[in-house]
Each structure stands twice: as structure tokens, then as C-alpha cells.
Amino acid sequence: MKKLICLLISIVMLLMACSALAEISVSWSDGKLTVSTTDTEGMNMILIDGQDTGKFVGDTSPSQVFSVPEDGQRHTVTTIAYFGATGGSASFVAGVAPTDAPTEEPTEAPTAEPTVEPTEEPTIAPTVEPTEEPTEEPTPAPTDVPTPGPKDGPLAVSVIGYEASKLTFSVSNLAPMPGEAWIDGVSTGITVYNGVNTITVFLKEGTYTLTIHGNGETASDIIVVKAPENPVISNVSYANGTLSFDLDKLNGLGEIWVSDQNAGTASANGRVSVRYALVPGDYTVMVYDSMYALRSNTLTFHVHRLVAAGEAKAPTCTEEGLTAGIKCSLCNEIIEAQQAIPALGHDWGEWKVTKEPGVGVKGEETRVCKNDESHIETREIDALGEDWDDGVVTKEPTCEEEGIRTYTSKNDPNLTKDVAIPALGHTPEVIPAVEPTCTTTGLTEGEQCSVCGKITKEQEEIPALGHMYISQRAESLTRKKYICARCGDVMYMDANVAIENLYGSILRNALGEDVNYVAQMDAADNKVLVITATIDQNNPEWVSEIGMYLTKQIIADMRSEGFEYVKYVNEGASLVFALDDLKDELYPTNDVINEYVITLDPRVEGGCLVSMDATIGDNQKIPAQTFIPMKLNWNNHDIEVTAQGIYNE
């Protein structure tokens, strides 16, 4: 009876461990790996061959796609619940596996029952690099761990310590095959070997049981996890758009906060660097351990505004010069002191032959200083030696490989020399381009070698042009005719006709997703273009912070159709502004504006949000310095808008 009860307890514990697993499926095709999950309760971190990919699957992202080149090898995908037990595991082959690759034997799940009943499931995120699948020949065990050897006793494990998400333990008498690490009855999916093993797992404060399963044996030891300490940062610096600092005692994932702005994440202790653009001034930096809700100390740092430290002086041939140096105009710190520039010395021109050499007779050449023509140098030219013939080709060059031309001295037939003949290079042959139309995609012009047939320039797909409707004369007071300048397609637009997504993707929500809209002429004023967002009423959160993205081309298209004003409607609120107020340059910096972003959100707390941003340069999004006048209608109240902010009645 006792044996039966123990067996039932073991089965229940295994079922509890399995219930924490979320099914995942993987598929690989043409260099693309798709990872999907059925878990709709939370987020799971994705690891490929034990390496953190930085991506998650779960309730908001049921699948993720990765680029995995074809190598014919089997790879392992593991998902780890960010707060919870191990997610799931699956494997795939990237391409066609080698014909002589050894057959993979399935791993049997350990049947030993756990020694400690856990109070809560540990958060486990293994990042130990697994051994790779063999390619042509079986790959030996990693050189940094002992290979299994003869047993001289029972399987044993001893926990060395746990610190900063790193669990270190020693395994002995694991033979003839490696084993697997389990924590509180849950498999980590990590292979372990004889000797010292270190794996990455996220464990909260408490006591856990580490169990090693291998070769029909199990061995266990206790893990004691102390309360984590607050992270500590030091040695902060900022240069060339990169913020760097030393990080210690981080236990999970860290959020980097610069003057109350999230600047990125830190995943490991050590020197941390993150790209973050800052204007000159004083800032603070702090790291927040999001897994354990711990804050680091706060440090201050200064971003210099660099200007010349003094007047520069150019050097001459005989006199030293002086650099301008660099200083901060805000704090006056000398960043780079002015340095002496050595005298240039003579700037000699090219050597020119003034006496040609002959066989056995030396020649002469001179050069003149470009700074002072009175400075002249003269040197001898060696007498001519061997008189080489024109040579013969002893190896023909190809498109990509050099050839060889062998020369023979006319004075000594036994003296030869080989000279490389440059590779011919590919002879480009044009692969004709396919022009796109309004509704079909095209292809760019490509190239291939007409000699060897190698593709030297891949063709790229050109998006369909889309219709470019041009306004024609009005057929009535409220009806206008539009003809596509490319294909001649005809459409009509009036106050009673609404056209979906007429100007393409100009409305997007806070997640960057396209929002559908309809465009139509205002029934009361044919110079007003009405853009109305069409909102999914079953997903009210989708409406938040919907921005209208207006490029210079879209603004020009609206003007060419005779419109002078745009009325932007979102959930009962409307915002009217003049197209002529959208200038091409940003005041006062005169930066060229690529795109305006006008946001209307009637659901924010305290009123209705109105904001205007502009993108400049490489699509850098910044608040517009000069806010154009707008008229907001919200809750049947007309409000004059002169600055971005939240407006109420």
C-alpha cells in the first residue's frame, strides 16, 4: 500500500510539473523560423540553443519570426515563463540534415519523485549553451567540462552557490551519458556534465531542491536563495550618443531610467552601454530591477556642449601651429587642451626624372618643395638591369581568380619572374527591370555575369505605385471628379461619398498599427477635407493616441485637390487646421521636416489630448517648436488650440 501511495504521489507531481508547460510549435522554411505557442495566460521568453533571443511569445504575441540560415543542423527552441515555470521545448532542422548525421535518441523524462514539496514554482530561464548536434561526425563534449567517465560511486550533486541569477553546482559519477537539471520537480531542459556546472535561472527568495537525473539515477541538493540586494551603478559616462556605466548586483532584467525617462534595458552585470540621444545639460541615471522591484542608487552626469577652446593657428614649414582645442560652453571644462602642431617641414612634390638612366648608366631625378621652390633635392636613379620580354600567359585569369604571366630576361634566358594577372572581374549583363503599376508590384533592374552567369545584383521588389488621383473641374457644387494620372482610373468624391484609406497609411495608433479611416469632402465647405478614424468598438483601447502622419507629398496631394483645411475626427472629437500652416522647415533650427504627426485622443484622463510632432533627419521624432493654430471641438465645445496639451471644457 505504501508503494502504491508513493507511486500516485510521483504521478501527481509529474502532472503538476507538466501542467506548467505551454505547448510550442516551430517551423523552418527558406531561412525563416516561426515559433508559436498556445499559452494565453502570460509571456514566455524565447531561447534558441540556450541563447536568449530578446523576444517573447504569449498572450499579446502568439508567434515570433527569426532569421536562421540553412546549416543542416538540429536546433533546440525553449520558452521560459518570465514569471513562472519552464514554458516548453521543441527542435527543428535548419534545412536538410546531413545523410550521415547520427540518429537522435529521444530523452526519457525522469521518473524520480521530487524530494521537497515547493511552495511556489521557481522562475527558471536557462542560458547555458547546449552541445550542438553533430554534423558530419559526432561532436565531442565541450572542452570546459569533463566528459563522462567510469563511475567510482553513486551519482552525486553539490550546490556551490546562487548569485545574480547564476546557479553553480558540482556533479560527480555521472556516466556513461550526461544528465539533466530539474528544480523543484520542473525540468530546466539543460544538459549537465561531471564537474562544475553554471546555469542561468531566475529564482525568488526561498529554498529549492536541485535534482540531477541521469542514466537511471537521481541526486539532489538544497538551493538557498537569499533576498536580492539593490543594484549598484558607478562610473557613469556619456559620449557620442552612448550612455555607459558599471552595473553590479542586478538579479533580473534592469530598466535604465535617465531623468525619469526609460532609456532601455540591461540584462547582465558589468559595463553597460546604451544608445540614447541627449541634448547638453545635467541628468540623473538609475537602474530598476523589474523582476524583484529593486531600485539602484542614482548618479548624476553632465552632457557637454562642445565648442572651440581657443583660436586655431595653421603651421608652416618652419613654425609650429596650434589646435583649436575643445571645451564645454555650459560648464567651461576643458575637454581637449590646445595642442601645438609640429611645423610641416618641406612639402616635397613628385620626383621628376631630369636624366634618363640607361643600361649600366645611372640617371638622375629631382623634387621641389611645394612651399618654397628654392628648396630642391636630387638623387640618383639606378642603372638599368634585366631587360624583360613581353612575357607569356602561363595561367589564364578567370572572373574571380588571378592569372599568371611569366617574363624572361632578354639578357639571361634562365632568369624568369611570374607576375599576377588581375582577375577579369564579372562582365555585368542587365536583367531588365519590371515597372510597377498602380495595382501591381515591379522589380528593380538586376545584373548577372555574362561570362560565368553569377548574379552580381539581386532584383528587388518595387511596391505598387497606388493610384495618384488628380482633381478635375467640379461637375457640380458638391461633386468633383478625380482621374489617376498613371492609369486613368476615374473616381468621384462629394459630401455624400466617403472613400476608405484614400491617402494610404496616414493614421496609426500608439502601437504603430495602421488605423482605417474614411475621407470625404465637407458637406458645408468643399475646401475642407474630413478624415474620420473608423474605430473597432469591440477594442476600445485601440483608439488611444491615434496620430495623423502627413508627409510633404500627402500635404501637396491634398492641396492639389483644392483642399485648404483638414478636419480630423476621432471618437466624437474633431480638430481643424490649415494646410498652409504646415511649413517645410522646423523653426527656429531650419531643419527640413520629413513628416508631421498630429495626435488627437479624446480618452485621456482629464480631457482631450492634442499634440503635434515632426520628424527630421533619419526619421528623428521631436516636438514641433512652433505649434500651428487649431480649432478643437470636444463635447460640443469649440476650443482654440495654440499649444500641445490636454484640453477640457
Side-chain angles (χ1 to χ4, degrees):
M1 179 59 71
K2 289 184 178 179
K3 291 184 177 180
L4 178 58
I5 293 175
C6 291
L7 178 60
L8 290 174
I9 292 175
S10 299
I11 294 173
V12 170
M13 293 299 294
L14 286 174
L15 289 175
M16 290 174 64
C18 293
S19 65
L21 301 179
E23 284 191 21
I24 64 170
S25 61
V26 297
S27 62
W28 182 94
S29 177
D30 296 329
K32 299 294 184 182
L33 169 66
T34 301
V35 180
S36 304
T37 182
T38 58
D39 186 357
T40 60
E41 298 299 326
M43 295 300 292
N44 296 269
M45 187 186 337
I46 301 175
L47 296 90
I48 300 179
D49 292 338
Q51 299 300 307
D52 184 4
T53 65
K55 292 188 177 182
F56 297 80
V57 292
D59 53 358
T60 60
S61 300
S63 64
Q64 294 283 5
V65 178
F66 301 88
S67 294
V68 179
E70 180 175 356
D71 58 7
Q73 303 303 307
R74 179 170 294 278
H75 302 270
T76 300
V77 177
T78 306
T79 59
I80 305 299
Y82 194 65
F83 291 101
T86 302
S89 180
S91 63
F92 67 96
V93 175
V96 179
T99 56
D100 58 350
T103 303
E104 181 182 24
E105 295 184 1
T107 303
E108 296 183 359
T111 58
E113 64 185 66
T115 58
V116 177
E117 188 73 15
T119 58
E120 58 178 350
E121 293 184 341
T123 303
I124 305 172
T127 58
V128 176
E129 296 185 0
T131 56
E132 298 181 349
E133 287 279 332
T135 54
E136 297 299 325
E137 296 181 358
T139 303
T143 57
D144 57 347
V145 294
T147 56
K151 290 171 63 67
D152 57 7
L155 175 64
V157 61
S158 176
V159 173
I160 297 174
Y162 178 84
E163 182 177 358
S165 305
K166 301 292 184 182
L167 174 62
T168 303
F169 55 91
S170 175
V171 179
S172 58
N173 295 319
L174 180 62
M177 299 296 292
E180 183 179 41
W182 288 53
I183 296 180
D184 279 0
V186 179
S187 172
T188 66
I190 299 176
T191 302
V192 298
Y193 302 87
N194 279 326
V196 176
N197 296 258
T198 299
I199 64 177
T200 299
V201 292
F202 296 130
L203 300 177
K204 299 178 181 178
E205 179 183 4
T207 303
Y208 304 88
T209 298
L210 169 66
T211 303
I212 304 302
H213 295 263
N215 306 291
E217 293 185 90
T218 62
S220 300
D221 198 4
I222 298 301
I223 308 168
V224 177
V225 179
K226 299 180 181 179
E229 298 182 57
N230 289 65
V232 176
I233 61 174
S234 59
N235 299 326
V236 62
S237 64
Y238 183 86
N240 300 321
T242 298
L243 173 64
S244 301
F245 54 86
D246 292 330
L247 177 60
D248 190 22
K249 298 182 181 179
L250 177 67
N251 299 281
L253 291 176
E255 300 174 1
I256 303 171
W257 289 83
V258 175
S259 293
D260 298 327
Q261 297 294 320
N262 193 318
T265 59
S267 59
N269 290 314
R271 192 65 177 169
V272 176
S273 295
V274 59
R275 294 287 296 173
Y276 194 61
L278 293 172
V279 299
D282 294 316
Y283 300 89
T284 61
V285 61
M286 179 272 293
V287 173
Y288 177 72
D289 190 328
S290 57
M291 174 161 288
Y292 295 98
L294 298 175
R295 297 169 62 94
S296 75
N297 55 311
T298 299
L299 297 180
T300 61
F301 65 96
H302 179 73
V303 179
H304 297 296
R305 177 178 283 124
L306 303 180
V307 297
E311 183 178 355
K313 177 184 176 183
T316 67
C317 286
T318 57
E319 294 184 359
E320 290 184 340
L322 192 64
T323 64
I326 301 173
K327 74 173 184 178
C328 176
S329 64
L330 299 179
C331 66
N332 290 321
E333 179 182 345
I334 299 299
I335 309 302
E336 180 181 309
Q338 289 184 278
Q339 300 289 332
I341 303 174
L344 298 176
H346 295 296
D347 184 9
W348 297 111
E350 297 291 332
W351 288 102
K352 295 183 179 180
V353 176
T354 54
K355 179 183 177 182
E356 294 289 345
V359 177
V361 179
K362 293 182 177 181
E364 186 178 86
E365 60 183 358
T366 60
R367 64 179 181 177
V368 179
C369 178
K370 295 179 181 178
N371 299 325
D372 188 344
E373 293 183 355
S374 66
H375 297 163
I376 301 174
E377 279 192 347
T378 303
R379 69 181 182 185
E380 291 182 339
I381 302 175
D382 292 338
L384 298 179
E386 299 86 356
D387 186 9
W388 301 105
D389 65 8
D390 294 333
V392 294
V393 177
T394 54
K395 178 184 177 183
E396 294 289 346
T398 66
C399 291
E400 297 181 345
E401 293 185 1
E402 293 181 337
I404 298 175
R405 180 182 291 274
T406 302
Y407 293 86
T408 303
S409 173
K410 294 179 182 179
N411 300 324
D412 183 357
N414 296 320
L415 181 62
T416 62
K417 67 175 181 179
D418 292 335
V419 177
I421 303 174
L424 300 176
H426 294 294
T427 303
E429 181 179 59
V430 175
I431 303 174
V434 178
E435 294 296 331
T437 68
C438 291
T439 57
T440 60
T441 60
L443 292 173
T444 61
E445 187 178 86
E447 286 185 359
Q448 67 179 12
C449 179
S450 62
V451 177
C452 66
K454 183 176 181 178
I455 300 297
T456 56
K457 181 180 179 182
E458 297 285 349
Q459 289 182 286
E460 298 181 358
E461 185 178 276
I462 304 173
L465 300 175
H467 292 298
M468 186 174 69
Y469 290 107
I470 298 178
S471 174
Q472 307 298 306
R473 66 180 180 85
E475 294 190 350
S476 67
L477 293 178
T478 60
R479 181 176 175 85
K480 294 184 71 173
K481 180 180 180 180
Y482 293 79
I483 298 178
C484 178
R486 297 190 180 98
C487 68
D489 185 66
V490 177
M491 77 166 184
Y492 294 91
M493 182 176 179
D494 57 32
N496 297 318
V497 175
I499 300 177
E500 292 186 357
N501 303 325
L502 175 62
Y503 298 99
S505 174
I506 65 171
L507 290 191
R508 300 170 211 157
N509 63 13
L511 300 177
E513 301 168 330
D514 289 340
V515 176
N516 291 324
Y517 64 92
V518 293
Q520 62 188 125
M521 184 187 305
D522 190 89
D525 188 348
N526 61 9
K527 294 185 182 298
V528 177
L529 172 63
V530 181
I531 303 293
T532 303
T534 54
I535 307 303
D536 182 1
Q537 297 298 330
N538 294 323
N539 186 9
E541 293 299 323
W542 196 61
V543 74
S544 64
E545 296 188 21
I546 296 179
M548 178 180 291
Y549 291 73
L550 298 177
T551 63
K552 290 189 287 188
Q553 183 59 53
I554 291 175
I555 294 171
D557 290 343
M558 291 176 175
R559 286 173 176 160
S560 69
E561 295 165 0
F563 293 115
E564 298 178 3
Y565 298 89
V566 173
K567 182 178 182 180
Y568 175 21
V569 181
N570 181 9
E571 282 287 283
S574 66
L575 192 65
V576 178
F577 55 90
L579 290 172
D580 285 345
D581 288 337
L582 302 178
K583 307 301 182 183
D584 293 337
E585 294 182 349
L586 184 66
Y587 178 84
T589 61
N590 295 329
D591 291 313
V592 176
I593 295 175
N594 302 328
E595 186 177 52
Y596 278 97
V597 182
I598 298 174
T599 302
L600 176 63
D601 187 352
R603 294 195 177 191
V604 298
E605 183 178 352
C608 181
L609 170 67
V610 178
S611 68
M612 184 174 78
D613 302 291
T615 61
I616 62 173
D618 296 331
N619 290 327
Q620 178 186 1
K621 185 176 179 182
I622 63 174
Q625 298 297 317
T626 301
F627 200 88
I628 66 173
M630 302 182 187
K631 180 173 288 186
L632 171 67
N633 183 280
W634 183 63
N635 285 347
N636 296 321
H637 289 273
D638 289 331
I639 304 172
E640 296 295 332
V641 177
T642 58
Q644 57 188 7
I646 297 176
Y647 289 82
N648 53 38
E649 301 177 7

